[in-house]
Amino acid sequence: MRLAFLLAAVALPFAPALADVEKPAALVADGVPAVPVALADATRPYMEFRTATFLGWNPADRSMLIGTRFGNTVQAHRVASPLAARTQLSFEADRIADGHWAPGKGDTLMIQKDIGGDEFFQLYTLANGRLTLLSDGKSRNEYGAWSHDGQWIGYSSTRRNGTDTDLYVVDPRDSKSDRLVAQVKGGGWQIMGFAPDGKSAVVLNYTSVTKSDLYRLDLAGGALTPINDLKAAVSYGDVDYAPDGTLWATSDEGSDFKRLGRIDAKTGKFTAVAIPGKGVVEGFDIAPDGSFIAVVMNEAGVGRLHLLDPRTGASRTVSELPMGVIASLEVAPWGEIGLSLASAKSPTDAWSVDPKTLKVTRWTASETGGLDTAANVEPELVSIKSFDSETVSGFLYRPDASKFPGKRPLIINIHGGPEAQSRPGFLARNNYLLNELGIAIFYPNVRGSEGFGKRFISLDNGPFKREDSVKDIGAFLDVLDKDAALDPARFAVTGGSYGGYMCYATAIRYGSRLKGANCVVAISNFVTFLENTQSYRRDLRRVEYGDEREFKQRAKLMEISPLSRVNELNLPMMVVTGGNDPRVPASEADQIIKAVRGKGGTAWHLLGQDEGHGFAKKVNQDYQFWTSLIFWQQTLLGQAPATPAKAAE
């Protein structure tokens, strides 16, 4: 038998060692160098991390539902007990976006997913590894809430006309029960929670980050009754009913920051309750027996968990949780609090908290490629005065000075949204830049960022204020230039989505101070962006950026668009695009690449034909990082260029 094995081995054809990594089939690398195997090998441990996002509890067996990845995409998994095996439940080519077990019996698992990142989400039930479609399979559908008895799912859908998010309910055990409850106008409607008696639901109509309204929806007749004053400039976040029928919400009514409070059923008046600490209330969940409310606060980017007794107003702070960013909060029927948490030294993992003892339990310990994440650096908060004396801040990650002495290169990484916020979470692949190449990374929160109040978040609204946020980057550059540990001759910029626009705009305005720009799923022309983004989100974006249909606003939008100033864009560029992106269409990349190359400039282009607004599949994410790394090696670190891949690839 041994001889037969040896003979078979001799008969195998000789396979020469590969010089370059095989490019994923769905990626088009236009003008992008091939990736050497040696580079992939050097970075491999940083590629092999996982995350585990808490999705909810199963009331039937007290297990956790999480989203994690063992293959190419994030799938639904069951964890029976703390640090138990992660048992895979779904086996799809595309990632699972969301999932929730039915309250009560836990007999049905609802799943939300799209195809290729197109964000035309469909709702399914999942059993025995197979999905059964609940929604129409064509329009965009988004999960809202389960009814308290676990019979109904409330959700929104654009199926009527492709634009308006009408309100539906369905018993997931019977797809024929699916029915339209209310037709609405606009793309920001959603069922947020069912009343305890199951006869009505609370509905949120999101217009902008600073304006939203609440309605009571009669589930039998479909009537929508306003709860708050529709003329008031007020915003709501999480909204839900307590078991006694009290309506709780987060709102900025009467404050610059969102607070937690009760809403009077008759008058709609919001009455805030006091929670310790200074910051923004990000979310909450009410214990099924109403005995406490779990509240997450964002305090200077760090998540803090508090437990509020709604009867006495007393609050307790959970102090044993590691410092980091908290998300996806849910209280189990037996009282245990589930959540996700990420920090600079740990990827996102699932945790729980005992509401009586406040004991913290870790449920997952995601792999980190064998690396010691305790070596990852913590960021420092940088706070400055901008061009108009407005205070802006960001997080600066510095490489270990003992390993990398002298002045270090810097990448400025600008978040999207624009109503997002850079926070001190896990840097994943970017830890390679810090730990192995000695590149510092700065994550700014320019005006318009979330987490600093509604005044601050409104400072960039409309086309006439838009470039003020770009000037904030200039103010940061002025300060970072003087930092004794940074090399101002080796600065570069990157960013995604709105951060991608900021990437272009920064490269134009401050190009002489930068070495390169890596712009991801980026807006290049505000007018064409607004005309071509999916219709269900177009009016929502007009509130933020401006209305291209109005003459003066259109003219200003054109003036500030990077495509209009492409002659000032003289840096080497890399552009990353999702072919199925419903938010920033691929045409936004095509037109600026054509313009840059038309004037003799350098523009690498990496297109994910099976991706949307950012790459979600691991093979594509890895290849994006490797090609970005080559871009930084050439532009920021001054290493010799490699041979570009053919444009047809």
Side-chain angles (χ1 to χ4, degrees):
M1 184 175 238
R2 176 176 172 79
L3 179 60
F5 174 80
L6 290 173
L7 289 172
V10 170
L12 289 174
F14 174 71
L18 293 176
D20 297 321
V21 173
E22 183 178 357
K23 179 179 62 61
L27 293 186
V28 177
D30 180 5
V32 179
V35 175
V37 168
L39 184 147
D41 289 343
T43 62
R44 185 68 62 188
Y46 291 88
M47 306 293 106
E48 301 307 324
F49 71 95
R50 291 192 179 93
T51 61
T53 301
F54 170 73
L55 297 177
W57 295 102
N58 184 345
D61 62 9
R62 298 196 173 193
S63 65
M64 263 192 187
L65 180 68
I66 66 166
T68 192
R69 174 196 53 74
F70 280 87
N72 198 30
T73 57
V74 170
Q75 299 296 311
H77 291 68
R78 173 182 178 268
V79 182
S81 59
L83 300 180
R86 294 153 289 184
T87 303
Q88 192 163 339
L89 303 178
S90 65
F91 302 85
E92 302 300 310
D94 287 294
R95 65 178 168 182
I96 300 299
D98 200 3
H100 298 275
W101 284 103
K105 296 181 179 180
D107 63 327
T108 303
L109 175 56
M110 186 285 306
I111 292 292
Q112 178 176 302
K113 68 174 287 291
D114 66 357
I115 297 175
D118 64 4
E119 298 185 22
F120 277 74
F121 299 108
Q122 303 302 320
L123 304 186
Y124 305 82
T125 56
L126 172 62
N128 302 317
R130 296 181 182 275
L131 295 179
T132 300
L133 185 66
L134 289 175
S135 48
D136 66 345
K138 300 176 183 178
S139 59
R140 175 183 165 91
N141 306 269
E142 287 193 283
Y143 166 78
W146 276 99
S147 61
H148 292 276
D149 61 4
Q151 181 178 356
W152 299 98
I153 290 173
Y155 70 100
S156 63
S157 177
T158 62
R159 75 181 63 165
R160 177 170 57 89
N161 60 11
T163 299
D164 299 317
T165 49
D166 295 334
L167 304 172
Y168 291 75
V169 295
V170 63
D171 180 346
R173 303 156 194 86
D174 176 14
S175 60
K176 294 181 180 179
S177 67
D178 187 34
R179 68 182 180 91
L180 172 66
V181 180
Q183 290 187 7
V184 296
K185 177 69 174 176
W189 294 80
Q190 185 56 278
I191 294 173
M192 301 295 289
F194 287 80
D197 62 8
K199 296 180 180 179
S200 63
V202 61
V203 169
L204 177 76
N205 179 24
Y206 176 95
T207 302
S208 74
V209 70
T210 57
K211 173 61 176 173
S212 53
D213 295 300
L214 298 179
Y215 294 80
R216 184 175 294 103
L217 172 64
D218 177 67
L219 294 172
L224 283 163
T225 305
I227 293 175
N228 64 292
D229 179 1
L230 301 184
K231 296 180 181 179
V234 173
S235 175
Y236 298 92
D238 280 359
V239 188
D240 203 2
Y241 288 100
D244 64 1
T246 301
L247 188 59
W248 289 83
T250 58
S251 176
D252 60 10
E253 182 176 345
S255 173
D256 194 36
F257 296 91
K258 278 193 172 70
R259 300 174 294 173
L260 176 68
R262 301 176 180 89
I263 297 179
D264 188 280
K266 295 181 180 179
T267 65
K269 181 182 178 181
F270 174 82
T271 302
V273 297
I275 304 291
K278 295 182 179 180
V280 180
V281 177
E282 286 193 306
F284 69 93
D285 197 47
I286 304 171
D289 64 1
S291 61
F292 70 90
I293 301 175
V295 185
V296 175
M297 292 192 70
N298 175 352
E299 301 179 8
V302 175
R304 306 287 187 191
L305 179 63
H306 306 272
L307 304 189
L308 171 72
D309 185 330
R311 292 162 296 186
T312 66
S315 180
R316 296 175 294 155
T317 300
V318 180
S319 58
E320 290 186 15
L321 279 171
M323 182 180 296
V325 180
I326 297 173
S328 53
L329 189 71
E330 184 180 298
V331 182
W334 54 95
E336 195 167 6
I337 305 159
L339 55 88
S340 301
L341 186 142
S343 70
K345 297 182 183 296
S346 173
T348 300
D349 269 313
W351 299 70
S352 72
V353 176
D354 184 317
K356 295 180 180 179
T357 65
L358 303 188
K359 179 184 177 182
V360 171
T361 301
R362 186 170 189 165
W363 278 65
T364 61
S366 295
E367 293 83 354
T368 57
L371 295 168
D372 178 13
T373 56
N376 292 345
V377 298
E378 298 275 6
E380 63 183 70
L381 182 65
V382 176
S383 184
I384 68 165
K385 295 292 185 180
S386 192
F387 68 97
D388 57 355
S389 297
E390 183 69 38
T391 299
V392 290
S393 61
F395 290 100
L396 176 61
Y397 293 78
R398 298 180 186 272
D400 183 349
S402 63
K403 183 177 180 181
F404 299 102
K407 290 178 174 289
R408 304 312 307 164
L410 172 76
I411 296 173
I412 299 171
N413 192 324
I414 308 172
H415 69 69
E419 311 98 338
Q421 181 186 7
S422 288
R423 301 177 65 179
F426 190 65
L427 295 189
R429 294 168 179 84
N430 281 343
N431 280 314
Y432 182 84
L433 302 177
L434 281 159
N435 298 342
E436 306 297 336
L437 298 184
I439 299 174
I441 309 176
F442 180 61
Y443 292 85
N445 284 309
V446 297
R447 67 191 65 208
S449 299
E450 196 173 39
F452 303 91
K454 62 184 178 183
R455 183 197 67 84
F456 188 85
I457 208 170
S458 302
L459 289 178
D460 67 341
N461 285 1
F464 299 97
K465 297 180 181 179
R466 180 60 46 202
E467 290 194 304
D468 286 352
S469 59
V470 184
K471 294 177 184 177
D472 288 339
I473 299 297
F476 281 123
L477 284 170
D478 290 342
V479 172
L480 296 169
D481 277 353
K482 300 172 185 176
D483 190 302
L486 299 176
D487 181 359
R490 293 187 293 169
F491 284 8
V493 66
T494 188
S497 188
Y498 173 74
Y501 154 72
M502 290 286 291
C503 177
Y504 289 144
T506 300
I508 290 169
R509 184 178 284 268
Y510 304 109
S512 62
R513 303 168 71 174
L514 303 169
K515 289 295 186 181
N518 186 346
C519 308
V520 181
V521 294
I523 300 167
S524 64
N525 183 321
F526 281 111
V527 171
T528 57
F529 158 71
L530 290 166
E531 290 175 340
N532 295 317
T533 193
Q534 284 291 328
S535 60
Y536 63 81
R537 65 190 309 276
R538 191 169 296 142
D539 284 341
L540 301 176
R541 294 295 80 197
R542 283 170 174 153
V543 175
E544 171 66 36
Y545 296 123
D547 192 335
E548 85 287 0
R549 299 166 299 181
E550 196 275 323
F551 178 78
K552 290 184 179 180
Q553 293 192 54
R554 184 185 184 92
K556 187 64 176 179
L557 286 167
M558 288 296 295
E559 177 189 329
I560 65 174
S561 291
L563 190 63
S564 299
R565 302 178 60 182
V566 74
N567 286 335
E568 301 171 62
L569 190 51
N570 298 314
L571 289 177
M573 283 178 48
M574 179 171 178
V575 178
V576 180
T577 313
N580 301 323
D581 193 339
R583 306 187 194 190
V584 181
S587 54
E588 288 296 302
D590 294 339
Q591 60 193 10
I592 199 162
I593 290 167
K594 180 180 179 181
V596 169
R597 290 177 176 173
K599 72 184 191 72
T602 298
W604 300 7
H605 187 200
L606 187 66
L607 168 66
Q609 297 176 101
D610 60 347
E611 298 284 10
H613 198 61
F615 288 6
K617 296 179 173 66
K618 183 181 184 299
V619 293
N620 296 340
Q621 291 174 338
D622 287 351
Y623 204 83
Q624 178 189 351
F625 180 78
W626 290 328
T627 52
S628 296
L629 182 54
I630 295 171
F631 180 78
W632 296 133
Q633 287 175 333
Q634 293 185 19
T635 58
L636 192 60
L637 303 182
Q639 297 180 8
T643 303
K646 295 179 180 179
E649 288 185 353

